[in-house]
Amino acid sequence: MTERSVNHATFVIRRSFAATPARVFHAFADAATKRRWFVEGEGWTIEAFTSLFEVGGREHSRFRFGNDPAISNDTIYLEIVPNERIVFSYTMTVDERPISVSLGTLEFVAEGEGTCLTYTEQAAFLNRLDEPREREIGFRELLQALAPLVERPPVDA
Amino acid sequence: MTERSVNHATFVIRRSFAATPARVFHAFADAATKRRWFVEGEGWTIEAFTSLFEVGGREHSRFRFGNDPAISNDTIYLEIVPNERIVFSYTMTVDERPISVSLGTLEFVAEGEGTCLTYTEQAAFLNRLDEPREREIGFRELLQALAPLVERPPVDA
């Protein structure tokens, strides 16, 4: 037996937002908004960010933290139901080496005046270069960065 | 709550072939060979089959049984390690309606003079139009059709 070089895993994240499904969906669909929460951040250099949000369309980003190796994300949008669902694949590389290929499903469901977002990632981690728990933490952090872009600031009493 | 319209599931199929990993891999990589076991069959009309086997390349097939609605398969190759691994996404439609989006991983491992093929499918079934058990049976049947194309016929004693 050779060493198994693919680790398949699934994780699910649910998070509520105080914003309508249309508004949360827009933060994924609109390239300028997505860039803000998905790749921008203190200490990060963005070397590329292009997005074509349509079925079959591709999104490419490339970024690095300080002098660390470049990380790239190549997303392909596979199914889109406006304000309800986005299904996509994405491949991550570090220093040009693929570390994972994933299928991501985003489901946006109205919850009172807000939204319950469910994200399901079905991933193939390659060559022992990343692992499910790290990926799940990373995506939770991204949603934490997204929240203030869609939620209204609290009104002063 | 709205009705949940995505059903996520994973299944794994293992099958041995009396042929080298290179030969089994070739049956997936070579468009003419793949067409034979993947879409051709008695009673089926093939309306389209095009394949570009490279990372980022696409394969499109469209076929129907008798006068049934057309079925289409749109595959995108996401990672390829020659003779060892293929990772791809594929979207299936029936009568133009998406029924599933999947991530497929094929792993080819030498087993004596033969090959152990492991196929892992991580799927998002949409709108209750298909289900994991049917898909798994379908892929087992495809591998059954593939086998005689790569295995040598038995030598008469």
Side-chain angles (χ1 to χ4, degrees):
Chain A
M1 281 296 293
T2 60
E3 187 183 346
R4 182 172 174 79
S5 59
V6 184
N7 178 23
H8 292 95
T10 298
F11 63 84
V12 179
I13 295 173
R14 284 199 178 77
R15 182 179 170 134
S16 295
F17 294 93
T20 62
R23 195 161 162 79
V24 181
F25 182 90
H26 180 265
F28 286 87
D30 179 69
T33 308
K34 183 163 182 188
R35 178 183 166 120
R36 284 180 60 193
W37 64 267
F38 193 66
V39 294
E40 291 183 1
E42 189 159 338
W44 290 89
T45 304
I46 303 167
E47 299 182 344
F49 184 79
T50 56
S51 184
L52 181 61
F53 186 74
E54 60 181 39
V55 173
R58 296 177 188 233
E59 181 176 292
H60 169 68
S61 56
R62 187 181 158 93
F63 39 89
R64 70 175 78 224
F65 188 80
N67 292 316
D68 287 354
I71 300 169
S72 71
N73 176 313
D74 284 277
T75 292
I76 304 172
Y77 292 105
L78 299 170
E79 212 234 357
I80 297 171
V81 181
N83 304 332
E84 289 183 21
R85 184 163 72 209
I86 304 170
V87 186
F88 56 97
S89 71
Y90 76 98
T91 302
M92 295 279 291
T93 72
V94 174
D95 211 10
E96 313 296 341
R97 297 165 70 197
I99 63 170
S100 66
V101 184
S102 304
L103 189 72
T105 303
L106 291 157
E107 296 169 88
F108 307 80
V109 176
E111 181 185 59
E113 296 184 357
T115 300
C116 177
L117 173 69
T118 302
Y119 175 62
T120 304
E121 177 158 331
Q122 297 165 291
F125 293 98
L126 307 175
N127 311 319
R128 304 180 181 282
L129 291 170
D130 200 357
E131 53 161 308
R133 184 67 189 140
E134 293 295 315
R135 189 62 58 92
E136 181 174 342
I137 291 169
F139 203 82
R140 286 186 188 279
E141 288 172 352
L142 288 171
L143 296 181
Q144 187 68 23
L146 186 164
L149 300 182
V150 296
E151 296 180 339
R152 293 172 184 277
V155 178
D156 287 337
Chain B
M1 282 294 293
T2 59
E3 186 183 348
R4 183 173 173 79
S5 59
V6 184
N7 177 24
H8 292 95
T10 298
F11 63 83
V12 179
I13 296 174
R14 283 197 180 79
R15 179 175 173 138
S16 295
F17 293 93
T20 62
R23 197 161 159 79
V24 181
F25 181 91
H26 179 266
F28 287 86
D30 179 70
T33 308
K34 184 164 182 189
R35 177 184 168 120
R36 284 180 62 193
W37 63 266
F38 193 66
V39 293
E40 292 184 0
E42 188 158 338
W44 290 89
T45 303
I46 303 167
E47 299 181 344
F49 183 79
T50 56
S51 183
L52 181 60
F53 185 74
E54 60 182 40
V55 172
R58 295 176 188 234
E59 181 176 292
H60 169 69
S61 56
R62 186 182 158 93
F63 39 89
R64 71 174 78 224
F65 188 80
N67 291 317
D68 287 354
I71 300 169
S72 71
N73 176 314
D74 284 278
T75 292
I76 304 173
Y77 292 104
L78 300 170
E79 213 235 355
I80 297 172
V81 181
N83 303 332
E84 289 183 22
R85 184 163 71 209
I86 304 169
V87 186
F88 56 97
S89 71
Y90 76 97
T91 302
M92 295 279 291
T93 71
V94 173
D95 211 10
E96 312 296 340
R97 298 166 69 197
I99 63 168
S100 66
V101 184
S102 303
L103 188 71
T105 303
L106 292 157
E107 296 169 87
F108 306 79
V109 176
E111 181 184 59
E113 295 183 357
T115 300
C116 176
L117 173 69
T118 303
Y119 175 62
T120 304
E121 176 158 331
Q122 296 164 290
F125 293 99
L126 307 174
N127 311 320
R128 302 179 183 282
L129 292 169
D130 200 356
E131 53 160 310
R133 185 69 189 140
E134 293 296 315
R135 189 63 56 93
E136 181 175 342
I137 291 168
F139 203 82
R140 285 186 187 279
E141 289 172 351
L142 288 172
L143 295 182
Q144 187 70 22
L146 186 165
L149 301 182
V150 296
E151 296 180 339
R152 293 170 183 277
V155 179
D156 287 340

